[in-house]
Amino acid sequence: MPDLTSNTAGIISPNPFWLASAPPTNSGRQIMRAFEAGWGGAVWKTLGQPIQNVSSRFGGIHWRGERAAGFNNVELITDRSLEANFKEMAEVKRLFPKHAVISSLMVETKEEWKEVVKRSIDAGADGIELNFGCPHGMCERGMGSAVGQEPKVNQEITSWVKEYSSIPVLVKLTPNVGDIVPHGLAAQAGGADGVSLINTIKSIIGVDLEKMAPQPVVGNKGSNGGYCGAAVRPIALHMVAALARDPGFNIPISGIGGVTNWRDAVEFIALGSSSVQVCTEVMLRGYRIVEDMIDGLTRFMTEQGYETIDQMVGKAIPAYSEWGDLNINFESVAKIDAEKCIGCNRCMVACHDGAHQCIHPNPDGGLTPVVDESECVGCNLCEIVCPVPDCITMTEVDNGYAATTWNEHMTSGTKIRPKKGSHGYDMP
Amino acid sequence: MNQKLPANRAELVFEDFKKPYSEQQARAEANRCLYCYDAPCIQACPTEIDIPTFIRRIANENVEGAAKTIFDSNILGMSCARVCPVETLCVGSCVYNHMDASPIQIGKLQRYATDAAFDAGLSFYEAGEDTGKSVVCIGGGPASLAAAHRLRRFGHKVTIIEKDHYLGGLNTTGIASYKMKADRSLTEVEWLMSIGGIEVRSGISVPDQMSWADLQAEFDAIFVGFGLGEDSLLSLEGADSKGIMGAVDFIAKMKLGMVDLSSVQHAIVIGGGNTALDAVRELKGLGIDNVTLAYRGGEAQMSGYAHEWSEAKREGVSASWRSQPLAFIHNNGKLTGVEFQLMDENKKAIDGQTKTLNADLVLLAIGQGKLGALTSGLTGIEVEKGKIVTDAHGATGAKGVYAGGDCRNGGKEVVNAVAEGDQAAQAMHTFIMGGGSCRT
């Protein structure tokens, strides 16, 4: 039986699944229910001077029948008093001493930071997370992403908190920057014990075409919000990996962004996360989703022979390469399994209109299109659009060229294979 | 043209066998469509509706656009959505069948879109600019209606001549009521006629009351879409007993008014085609306990659709295979049973083997009377095996005379009639605009 215990910068939890700081962690009652459901940790809904919210607050991308494939919100930090929150936090820690409770904070002045850090520690929090990420509302008041986007400010406030904190401090980073690395390094320079990322992405989820206003519409106007949910996962994975592989960055990461199940979680762990945080999927389906996250992760680790979470952390980072260091002479072509093909021709139209015009109608009139392998560039598009599992496979071709990279080619003139891909062919 | 039906009609007991989609159901099903390129469902549709396009429009919440896509290819798309044997046409050819996944319910999606357009009062089309030409469509069924609408869009003056009262042909009088009731067909007729400028002369039969010569004198081109004749009957002993009817005749009576089945305990439908299958299911639905399909071949030899027969069996219809009627048994002229000759696997009589089944109602679904007399008097037209001979575009051997629907194809689906009517209309347009005329 693998050990799911997770250690993120000294914050220990029985499994790597934490609730992110968000509506599901708004109160002690909710967090206790979540822990009962199986969650290993919870980052409290960000504490600071209580705010007033607008209604409505959320928006969803409903795509081809799927509700909320992407999600956004214009909700701010807690609207409840610090006193009530810290009192509940202490109660949660008393009843669930082995679960991780992380106090998320967002205030303005150094004095305020000192106060909320002290009260978090007094409540028994296992760690502190600095919300330098919120891209709506709070940033207009000089907090949230307004801090996270300025490495100097990030570093300075982090160092304030470190000055007062005896427990681990994570800095939550905003993805609303050109390159995440300097921001992770700033947190590290400020003394952070770890970082968590990503916070939400500044977004307009849609436009109400009747009211002609951005959604969610508050009365007759809308504002930009924070984008999250399954749709943002690729962006989050990249940012996590960019920090994990940076030689100058060497503090732990708690990964966030579109985690919906155990598989997503393993991907974050493989790219350098010690724990993962989940919000949107819980908002859409409830705390109970953690049940299969635990079961699926356990089965995966057993099958693959991993005994601890640490053994998987960053496991895919060595294979994360610059484009210029990929083997440019590696060649694959699409093979269509005629036994499985159902004749929808989606590969053909995709290849013709969106790729390299190398999939053609069957010359014998059969329903399976044929691949002109002499022109197939191995781009994968056909395999992506094919609705039948394992019908199209990308198969390696031995072209006789020794492995080399673009960078090697540019520096040492290594030989690269000739280009393929028909240009200008018209489908009959 | 008063097309109002009686308030009390026997067919009203039927509910739709296939229920309409709600908005959510339609969108979910539309989202499942793979949007195939060069899709086999289009190829399987006689009217070549651009199915992936209309389904994508439903998915994208452009339901009116979806309806327009359908009507562009098939002006009777609303009724075809209900009456088409989609299991053997578009749905049967859906690529999902190849991966053992449930095929897209194209008929139900088509019904969803076309009903929405009807509900919204959208008729989409306008008559073309007047060409000064005049055409006639003989018969008021699907082939003629499709031809008339297309010809009107071209700007010709169009007249429909119908021998009966109601328009819509078998769409009104012959469709199994669990697929579509008569009033829905008449709604479609009214919708289609809203293009304006189509004159209807009903109660006139060609050539008895209006001769071919009259027609040739009055119009520039003629479309023949008068279907087939009456039900074929059997000249056997006892054939004039009370309780024997043609199936098409029975169905029409049930759809347009009341039928008295109170004394019927055992009903037998003789035949193995789709009219026979409609009739057994309808009799069952009308509350008759013992309904038997009697066919001279075996189950696998039936020309009726397997999916219809399987539903009929599920509904409790029994079968008497390899049974050819020999004589009708009666009591003082009232039918009491049918004596059958038993047949072998090659539909040959087995010497000395007969059986008798009780029956107080027999419906004959052994085909409809062939043409012949109807076309006599029109020089140049040829009838072969009961079908009017035409070229690929519907032109007959008589100049300026075109044909489509059952009289041309021998009795196929509504969708075939629409395809042929539409196609012939386009050929007629080319003909008359090129200076041709059937005027003698």
Side-chain angles (χ1 to χ4, degrees):
Chain A
M1 194 73 173
D3 179 5
L4 300 195
T5 305
S6 141
N7 180 350
T8 308
I11 304 171
I12 313 286
S13 56
N15 62 48
F17 306 123
W18 297 0
L19 290 171
S21 172
T25 59
N26 194 41
S27 68
R29 279 300 304 148
Q30 284 171 284
I31 291 172
M32 286 190 275
R33 280 201 286 121
F35 286 166
E36 280 163 9
W39 290 91
V43 186
W44 210 276
K45 170 91 176 167
T46 301
L47 305 177
Q49 289 312 314
I51 53 73
Q52 170 64 280
N53 273 306
V54 295
S55 61
S56 54
R57 305 173 195 177
F58 305 135
I61 296 265
H62 312 309
W63 195 82
R64 305 258 165 94
E66 177 65 31
R67 301 290 294 176
F71 192 82
N72 102 334
N73 81 91
V74 294
E75 187 172 292
L76 305 183
I77 64 172
T78 188
D79 59 0
R80 304 163 65 236
S81 74
L82 287 172
E83 191 174 19
N85 276 303
F86 284 123
K87 190 176 160 213
E88 290 169 21
M89 194 183 289
E91 182 69 1
V92 171
K93 273 313 291 183
R94 186 178 71 77
L95 292 168
F96 293 88
K98 290 185 175 166
H99 288 66
V101 172
I102 297 95
S103 180
S104 172
L105 304 174
M106 186 199 288
V107 287
E108 283 188 272
T109 66
K110 193 171 180 181
E111 274 312 298
E112 285 177 303
W113 279 107
K114 181 179 180 180
E115 186 207 333
V116 289
V117 167
K118 180 175 185 305
R119 290 175 77 175
S120 299
I121 296 167
D122 291 346
D126 299 283
I128 284 168
E129 186 180 88
L130 311 185
N131 183 342
F132 292 171
C134 182
H136 47 87
M138 301 312 290
C139 54
E140 295 169 21
R141 307 176 194 184
M143 291 178 278
S145 61
V147 175
Q149 285 166 332
E150 294 295 336
K152 276 185 184 166
V153 185
N154 167 347
Q155 181 178 338
E156 186 177 3
I157 298 181
T158 303
S159 67
W160 294 349
V161 174
K162 277 302 287 182
E163 194 182 325
Y164 305 128
S165 179
S166 56
I167 56 176
V169 174
L170 307 178
V171 172
K172 187 165 180 178
L173 299 176
T174 175
N176 300 301
V177 293
D179 176 9
I180 196 70
V181 174
H183 303 276
L185 292 175
Q188 180 175 278
D193 300 285
V195 293
S196 47
L197 72 161
I198 57 173
N199 204 310
T200 56
I201 302 166
K202 204 161 195 166
S203 62
I204 289 177
I205 195 82
V207 175
D208 183 323
L209 296 182
E210 305 284 320
K211 294 183 174 177
M212 278 296 171
Q215 292 169 319
V217 183
V218 178
N220 53 15
K221 287 181 180 175
S223 184
N224 52 272
Y227 194 43
C228 53
V232 309
R233 191 165 60 249
I235 297 165
L237 286 173
H238 162 253
M239 289 190 166
V240 165
L243 283 175
R245 75 166 177 172
D246 189 274
F249 184 85
N250 45 38
I251 53 176
I253 299 170
S254 184
I256 315 169
V259 175
T260 64
N261 57 31
W262 66 269
R263 183 178 286 274
D264 300 341
V266 174
E267 291 182 13
F268 271 91
I269 293 169
L271 290 178
S273 303
S274 300
S275 56
V276 294
Q277 299 184 28
V278 183
C279 162
T280 308
E281 186 69 357
V282 168
M283 290 183 67
L284 300 174
R285 292 182 171 81
Y287 298 127
R288 62 200 166 129
I289 63 161
V290 76
E291 184 271 336
D292 182 58
M293 296 180 81
I294 294 168
D295 189 64
L297 177 63
T298 305
R299 285 174 197 282
F300 172 79
M301 290 175 69
T302 306
E303 223 174 81
Q304 299 288 319
Y306 294 112
E307 288 160 358
T308 65
I309 299 292
D310 281 349
Q311 288 173 353
M312 298 189 291
V313 174
K315 192 83 175 166
I317 287 296
Y320 174 20
S321 163
E322 294 296 343
W323 188 94
D325 294 329
L326 297 173
N327 177 5
I328 205 157
N329 281 343
F330 174 85
E331 186 175 342
S332 65
V333 294
K335 300 266 188 195
I336 305 176
D337 183 342
E339 291 291 305
K340 291 185 174 139
C341 176
I342 59 173
C344 68
N345 292 333
R346 286 188 56 177
C347 56
M348 191 163 73
V349 70
C351 185
H352 189 72
D353 291 356
H356 296 85
Q357 301 85 44
C358 68
I359 301 184
H360 309 306
N362 191 312
D364 304 326
L367 59 74
T368 307
V370 292
V371 179
D372 177 357
E373 294 182 10
S374 68
E375 292 295 347
C376 175
V377 302
C379 74
N380 255 36
L381 182 62
C382 55
E383 189 264 341
I384 290 167
V385 300
C386 179
V388 184
D390 305 323
C391 177
I392 298 183
T393 43
M394 304 309 295
T395 311
E396 186 173 355
V397 173
D398 180 6
N399 54 19
Y401 285 83
T404 192
T405 68
W406 177 255
N407 290 343
E408 286 165 353
H409 173 69
M410 292 307 284
T411 52
S412 344
T414 49
K415 203 170 175 193
I416 58 175
R417 66 193 170 108
K419 292 175 195 170
K420 289 164 80 180
S422 171
H423 301 278
Y425 168 88
D426 278 325
M427 192 150 33
Chain B
M1 186 183 64
N2 178 7
Q3 296 276 295
K4 208 168 152 53
L5 288 160
N8 255 342
R9 291 179 290 124
E11 71 162 351
L12 295 178
V13 301
F14 288 95
E15 285 180 13
D16 286 352
F17 180 67
K18 291 182 186 171
K19 302 280 179 257
Y21 273 148
S22 67
E23 182 182 338
Q24 292 85 344
Q25 288 171 316
R27 205 172 302 156
E29 186 68 359
N31 274 313
R32 261 185 0 102
C33 175
L34 291 173
Y35 195 50
C36 295
Y37 179 79
D38 195 13
C41 53
I42 305 177
Q43 295 162 25
C45 175
T47 57
E48 295 173 11
I49 293 172
D50 187 347
I51 294 164
T53 293
F54 98 67
I55 293 180
R56 188 172 172 84
R57 287 179 167 200
I58 292 175
N60 291 343
E61 300 177 52
N62 178 11
V63 181
E64 291 174 6
K68 176 72 165 43
T69 300
I70 295 162
F71 293 131
D72 279 348
S73 296
N74 182 336
I75 198 67
L76 272 74
M78 187 279 282
S79 58
C80 284
R82 290 165 161 80
V83 311
C84 258
V86 292
E87 292 82 354
T88 65
L89 297 174
C90 53
V91 175
S93 69
C94 175
V95 296
Y96 271 130
N97 292 299
H98 295 302
M99 58 188 285
D100 291 328
S102 161
I104 299 297
Q105 293 303 304
I106 299 164
K108 294 179 79 164
L109 288 170
Q110 182 167 322
R111 174 174 175 173
Y112 173 76
T114 53
D115 280 359
F118 271 54
D119 291 348
L122 297 168
S123 51
F124 298 113
Y125 306 101
E126 286 177 7
E129 200 179 320
D130 188 14
T131 60
K133 305 285 183 183
S134 178
V135 294
V136 65
C137 298
I138 306 166
S144 276
L145 290 171
H149 194 269
R150 179 69 70 185
L151 288 163
R152 194 66 199 115
R153 281 165 66 190
F154 284 135
H156 307 306
K157 181 175 179 296
V158 180
T159 302
I160 291 176
I161 298 182
E162 165 60 47
K163 70 176 161 55
D164 292 327
H165 175 69
Y166 294 113
L167 290 184
L170 286 174
N171 233 359
T172 302
T173 64
I175 296 297
S177 301
Y178 49 83
K179 292 178 192 160
M180 182 172 75
K181 297 191 188 67
D183 57 323
R184 194 64 189 167
S185 170
L186 295 180
T187 299
E188 181 174 65
V189 169
E190 191 184 339
W191 175 85
L192 193 141
M193 298 300 252
S194 71
I195 192 166
I198 299 178
E199 182 198 347
V200 178
R201 301 181 196 166
S202 58
I204 296 173
S205 79
V206 172
D208 305 350
Q209 288 155 293
M210 190 166 186
S211 71
W212 293 108
D214 293 342
L215 293 164
Q216 283 168 314
E218 183 175 350
F219 301 102
D220 293 299
I222 300 172
F223 177 79
V224 182
F226 51 33
L228 298 172
E230 309 281 311
D231 289 291
S232 298
L233 300 176
L234 290 167
S235 45
L236 298 174
E237 190 189 325
D240 53 357
S241 308
K242 194 168 175 296
I244 303 174
M245 290 178 83
V248 171
D249 183 32
F250 171 81
I251 293 169
K253 285 195 162 65
M254 177 201 74
K255 289 179 71 70
L256 301 180
M258 294 304 291
V259 284
D260 181 11
L261 297 172
S262 56
S263 63
V264 177
Q265 310 257 314
H266 298 89
I268 295 177
V269 175
I270 294 171
N274 286 313
T275 303
L277 293 182
D278 282 357
V280 288
R281 292 187 68 186
E282 285 174 308
L283 289 170
K284 202 73 197 164
L286 289 167
I288 296 175
D289 286 339
N290 302 296
V291 178
T292 305
L293 179 83
Y295 175 52
R296 65 197 166 97
E299 186 165 2
Q301 292 164 301
M302 259 194 313
S303 63
Y305 295 122
H307 64 269
E308 293 284 344
W309 174 237
S310 109
E311 282 308 319
K313 278 196 285 192
R314 200 180 56 76
E315 288 161 5
V317 173
S318 45
S320 179
W321 303 120
R322 292 187 283 281
S323 308
Q324 170 140 302
L326 265 185
F328 296 108
I329 304 162
H330 59 93
N331 184 1
N332 288 329
K334 191 178 175 309
L335 183 75
T336 60
V338 183
E339 186 184 9
F340 291 97
Q341 165 71 53
L342 297 187
M343 315 292 278
D344 68 13
E345 283 166 9
N346 301 315
K347 298 185 188 171
K348 294 262 163 56
I350 307 171
D351 258 3
Q353 289 198 27
T354 61
K355 78 170 175 188
T356 300
L357 296 176
N358 288 337
D360 25 37
L361 175 68
V362 163
L363 299 183
L364 296 168
I366 53 173
Q368 284 169 264
K370 303 302 180 194
L371 307 159
L374 293 174
T375 53
S376 66
L378 179 59
T379 312
I381 201 160
E382 263 183 87
V383 176
E384 206 177 282
K385 292 182 183 166
K387 304 174 199 175
I388 295 175
V389 179
T390 69
D391 69 7
H393 306 289
T396 71
K399 191 178 68 153
V401 180
Y402 295 74
D406 284 357
C407 63
R408 169 175 159 195
N409 62 38
K412 285 190 178 174
E413 301 297 336
V414 174
V415 68
N416 299 100
V418 174
E420 290 171 13
D422 196 352
Q423 173 199 46
Q426 302 194 37
M428 289 164 79
H429 175 65
T430 306
F431 170 74
I432 48 184
M433 295 315 281
S437 175
C438 68
R439 286 178 204 272
T440 47

